[in-house]
């Protein structure tokens, strides 16, 4: 009746079939996955705040005060005093006039891009490796989307000149979600000014990670694109997405962005958790420094066992290549008590599978040494058997 079984078989034949693994403890470095105690080295909870005592208490208190569900969309009965407080806090944290909180980072990109680029004749210039939510935002827009080579500013400028857009925007991740590298935001901002294009930067993996005190790409580069997108689900360790920009743009989005308007508001519990998380980051910049130190230490150690990787972000992709070998690595690591999933097509290109290692501020050198020992053993084992 359908060809779904054929399509499913094809996924399996290509070593691309996926199944979730289930955690029965929190998103902490020592957790339990599918019944096995493991060292977690694949969370976006970079600062370990998901189980921070103050963050948890803030959410619990909010449930006691407000109950669980928010009960309505933001423009009907679902906006609470704490939504406003979080938006003011985020605007200040990022250095912008105003902010709008969405239910997820995915919905923020979808809503912002499709709402701003809603006219025929609009152009979007989008980095080749941008996150899926940016790609889907472009697809939902009425714009013509032009893809430029990854972080290649010359290619970007050539493509702008070729197309001569009268209106448009440049869109980029700041920290790329699979590569862990950082976009050339100052140049993007400059090209935006030069060609009169809006600039939108997605700080999902930058917030809490880069910049001296973890404020993300604006702090890291001392620069300011027109719109910053972010998520509250990674280093902020809660849930939600947001856009920071001018009051005018935020008012426009609040009135027009469908992914904002037609979905029930986030519950006050996660909003209060996010507010507390931001406070923890503001008051404890040493956790941001500890994360940076772990990143440097891990890159040095990886180099010693033959993986040439240098990164300034918490995402450290270990290149493996073939899909089946990446899965084998991940399985062997899991058997040895380390949880790092293999990332395969379509998240990355075919034949360019990676182990997506991510670090936390709560990891210590002992954890990293243990992981490196195990990885190096598996590397030897696999290179002998292949
Ligand atoms: C994770 C991510 C998102 C989506 O954020 P969610 O809050 O998880 O929906 C958007 N953009 C980038 C670059 C991301 O890495």
């Amino acid at each position: 009746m359908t060809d779904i079984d054929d399509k499913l078989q094809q996924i399996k034949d290509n070593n691309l079939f996926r199944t979730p693994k289930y955690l029965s403890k929190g998103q902490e470095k020592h957790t339990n996955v599918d019944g096995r105690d493991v060292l977690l080295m694949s969370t976006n909870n970079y600062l370990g705040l998901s189980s921070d005592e103050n963050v948890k208490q803030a959410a619990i208190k909010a449930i006691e005060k407000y109950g669980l569900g928010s009960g309505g969309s933001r423009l009907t009965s679902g906006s609470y005093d704490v939504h406003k407080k979080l938006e003011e806090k985020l605007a200040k944290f990022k250095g912008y006039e105003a902010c709008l909180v969405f239910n997820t980072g995915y919905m923020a990109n979808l809503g912002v891009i499709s709402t701003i680029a809603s006219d025929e004749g609009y152009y979007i210039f989008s980095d080749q490796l941008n996150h899926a939510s940016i790609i889907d935002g472009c697809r939902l827009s009425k714009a013509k989307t032009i893809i430029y080579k990854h972080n290649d500013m010359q290619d970007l400028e050539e493509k702008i000149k070729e197309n001569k857009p009268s209106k448009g925007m440049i869109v980029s991740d700041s920290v790329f979600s699979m590569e862990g590298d950082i976009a050339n935001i100052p140049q993007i901002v400059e090209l935006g000014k030069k060609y009169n294009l809006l600039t939108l930067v997605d700080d999902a993996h930058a917030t809490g990670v880069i910049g001296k005190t973890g404020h993300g790409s604006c702090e890291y580069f001392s620069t300011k694109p027109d719109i910053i997108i972010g998520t509250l689900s990674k280093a902020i360790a809660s849930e939600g997405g947001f856009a920071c920009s001018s009051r005018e743009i935020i008012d426009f989005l609040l009135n027009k962005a469908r992914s904002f308007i037609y979905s029930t508001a986030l519950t006050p519990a996660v909003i209060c958790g996010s507010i507390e998380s931001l406070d923890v980051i503001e008051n404890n910049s040493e956790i941001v420094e500890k994360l940076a130190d772990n990143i440097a230490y891990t890159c040095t150690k990886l180099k010693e066992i033959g993986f040439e990787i240098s990164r300034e972000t918490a995402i450290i992709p270990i290149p493996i290549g073939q899909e089946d070998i990446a899965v084998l690595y991940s399985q062997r690591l899991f058997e040895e008590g380390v949880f790092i999933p293999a990332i395969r097509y379509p998240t990355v290109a075919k034949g360019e599978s990676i182990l997506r290692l991510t670090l936390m501020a709560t990891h210590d050198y002992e954890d990293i040494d243990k992981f490196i020992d195990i990885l190096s053993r598996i590397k030897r084992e696999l290179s002998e058997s292949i």
Side-chain angles (χ1 to χ4, degrees):
M1 216 160 53
T2 71
D3 57 354
I4 289 180
D5 52 343
D6 284 347
K7 287 179 177 164
L8 203 51
Q9 193 54 48
Q10 210 178 349
I11 296 174
K12 290 179 180 166
D13 290 347
N14 291 328
N15 292 309
L16 295 173
F17 189 73
R18 314 185 207 202
T19 49
K21 288 193 184 301
Y22 293 92
L23 278 76
S24 55
K25 277 171 77 177
Q27 199 71 206
E28 294 159 36
K29 70 173 185 178
H30 297 297
T31 187
N32 187 285
V33 179
D34 281 355
R36 187 183 287 269
D37 287 329
V38 289
L39 178 63
L40 182 63
M41 301 198 88
S42 52
T43 179
N44 298 326
N45 176 26
Y46 300 125
L47 299 172
L49 295 179
S50 145
S51 51
D52 178 272
E53 210 41 55
N54 291 327
V55 172
K56 287 199 293 192
Q57 284 309 318
I60 290 166
K61 274 197 205 125
I63 289 183
E64 280 165 358
K65 180 170 176 189
Y66 298 96
L68 184 58
S70 75
S73 64
R74 285 289 306 276
L75 292 180
T76 58
S77 57
S79 277
Y80 291 76
D81 48 0
V82 287
H83 285 94
K84 190 168 185 224
K85 185 171 169 194
L86 175 60
E87 287 171 344
E88 284 167 3
K89 214 172 175 64
L90 282 167
K92 204 165 153 221
F93 188 85
K94 291 290 186 186
Y96 284 78
E97 209 171 43
C99 171
L100 191 64
V101 166
F102 290 74
N103 288 354
T104 64
Y106 187 99
M107 289 166 80
N109 273 326
L110 226 58
V112 173
I113 297 170
S114 66
T115 304
I116 291 181
S118 63
D119 308 323
E120 308 281 348
Y122 203 94
Y123 278 82
I124 300 173
F125 297 89
S126 176
D127 187 287
Q128 180 189 2
L129 295 185
N130 275 343
H131 189 259
S133 56
I134 292 181
I135 297 171
D136 292 354
C138 296
R139 287 178 181 162
L140 264 185
S141 78
K142 296 241 167 52
K144 181 164 184 192
T145 302
I146 312 280
I147 310 291
Y148 62 89
K149 286 188 203 143
H150 176 52
N151 209 6
D152 183 335
M153 294 299 110
Q154 202 178 340
D155 190 48
L156 170 58
E157 183 158 18
E158 276 165 20
K159 293 208 156 116
I160 297 171
K161 281 185 184 158
E162 255 166 52
N163 289 282
K164 301 189 178 56
S166 62
K167 52 188 169 180
M169 66 172 144
I170 309 171
V171 183
S172 181
D173 284 14
S174 55
V175 173
F176 287 87
S177 53
M178 293 300 138
E179 310 297 310
D181 56 340
I182 305 175
N184 189 342
I185 316 271
Q187 189 68 27
I188 288 174
V189 170
E190 206 177 301
L191 288 173
K193 288 206 178 99
K194 183 167 171 191
Y195 294 99
N196 200 22
L197 301 167
L198 276 181
T199 46
L200 180 152
V201 167
D202 180 346
D203 246 2
H205 292 283
T207 306
V209 179
I210 66 170
K212 212 167 162 32
T213 59
H215 285 224
S217 62
C218 298
E219 182 184 26
Y220 183 85
F221 285 118
S222 307
T223 182
K224 214 163 142 188
D226 298 297
I227 304 168
I228 281 278
I229 299 288
T231 179
L232 299 159
S233 66
K234 286 167 180 150
I236 309 295
S238 178
E239 270 185 16
F242 62 90
C244 289
S245 189
S246 64
R247 171 54 59 198
E248 190 182 34
I249 286 180
I250 294 303
D251 282 347
F252 181 62
L253 292 172
L254 182 140
N255 280 278
K256 282 289 200 184
R258 294 168 65 83
S259 64
F260 172 80
I261 299 170
Y262 296 105
S263 187
T264 299
L266 285 171
T267 170
V270 304
I271 297 292
C272 292
S274 298
I275 292 171
E276 184 60 33
S277 251
L278 287 167
D279 280 343
V280 174
I281 296 172
E282 293 283 41
N283 298 327
N284 303 275
S285 59
E286 68 273 10
I287 55 175
V288 178
E289 284 159 25
K290 174 60 182 154
L291 179 62
D293 182 60
N294 280 346
I295 294 163
Y297 183 75
T298 305
C299 288
T300 308
K301 290 279 160 184
L302 280 170
K303 206 174 192 174
E304 283 171 18
I305 63 163
F307 293 103
E308 286 288 332
I309 300 160
S310 86
R311 282 290 175 267
E312 289 175 85
T313 75
I315 302 167
I316 304 179
I318 303 177
I320 303 295
Q322 243 171 277
E323 283 74 18
D324 51 342
I325 310 278
V327 172
L328 211 54
Y329 260 100
S330 173
Q331 275 169 357
R332 287 286 298 116
L333 282 164
F334 191 66
E335 285 162 13
E336 301 281 344
V338 179
F339 182 37
I340 306 181
I343 307 287
R344 291 166 282 170
Y345 177 82
T347 312
V348 292
K350 276 191 185 140
E352 293 181 21
S353 299
I354 56 167
L355 294 171
R356 184 175 179 278
L357 164 66
T358 58
L359 294 170
M360 301 171 80
T362 51
H363 285 131
D364 52 33
Y365 286 0
E366 205 180 312
D367 300 320
I368 296 166
D369 289 344
K370 177 184 160 189
F371 156 68
I372 292 286
D373 275 353
I374 294 171
L375 181 68
S376 131
R377 188 143 37 83
I378 295 172
K379 183 171 181 264
R380 267 201 312 277
E381 227 177 75
L382 289 181
S383 61
E384 277 161 18
S385 68
I386 292 160

